[in-house]
Amino acid sequence: MENNTPTSIGNRIAGVRRSHKVTQEALADMLEVSPKHISHVENATSCLSLKSLIRFCTIFNCSMDYIIFGNKNNETLSKLPDEIVKILNTGSSEEIARLNRYLQVYIELQT
């Protein structure tokens, strides 16, 4: 299955939403659409408008390239384990801060 199918896009939108612990209802409020529309988007029976998609990416600080194509931003990130890239692309601010703390400890242990 291609990475840019409605199913893949819906799965990535749902994943980003869940990683930030946001309900479909809360996301619908943020995007000024109905919760039913969010459900349809995540289940690949509908799509977000370009305006809503841009707003989604802005709210969750993720790239449209990731949502639409599943691209991991750049060649350097593609060398990292998928779990780390997922945190960088879709993680909450707490998850990103935790990852930064782990990396700081790792750097300190290396010196």
Side-chain angles (χ1 to χ4, degrees):
M1 177 166 60
E2 289 184 42
N3 244 0
N4 62 345
T5 65
T7 300
S8 298
I9 293 168
N11 287 337
R12 284 190 289 274
I13 288 171
V16 170
R17 175 185 60 77
R18 288 183 189 120
S19 74
H20 285 84
K21 297 177 177 55
V22 172
T23 65
Q24 286 183 339
E25 292 77 14
L27 177 58
D29 286 342
M30 292 175 197
L31 300 180
E32 299 175 355
V33 298
S34 72
K36 188 174 184 176
H37 182 61
I38 298 300
S39 176
H40 286 287
V41 168
E42 292 182 0
N43 289 302
T45 58
S46 187
C47 298
L48 287 177
S49 68
L50 182 57
K51 178 182 174 184
S52 292
L53 183 58
I54 291 169
R55 193 172 200 172
F56 178 89
C57 292
T58 301
I59 290 168
F60 295 107
N61 194 29
C62 63
S63 72
M64 286 181 64
D65 195 36
Y66 171 72
I67 295 298
I68 296 172
F69 299 108
N71 292 337
K72 310 258 200 255
N73 288 346
N74 65 38
E75 187 177 325
T76 302
L77 287 181
S78 69
K79 295 176 185 176
L80 295 173
D82 287 339
E83 295 82 8
I84 292 175
V85 174
K86 183 177 179 185
I87 291 170
L88 293 172
N89 281 322
T90 65
S92 66
S93 57
E94 294 86 17
E95 290 171 317
I96 292 171
R98 186 179 320 121
L99 178 60
N100 281 329
R101 287 192 303 272
Y102 290 145
L103 292 173
Q104 286 298 326
V105 168
Y106 175 78
I107 291 168
E108 289 174 15
L109 290 173
Q110 297 300 310
T111 57

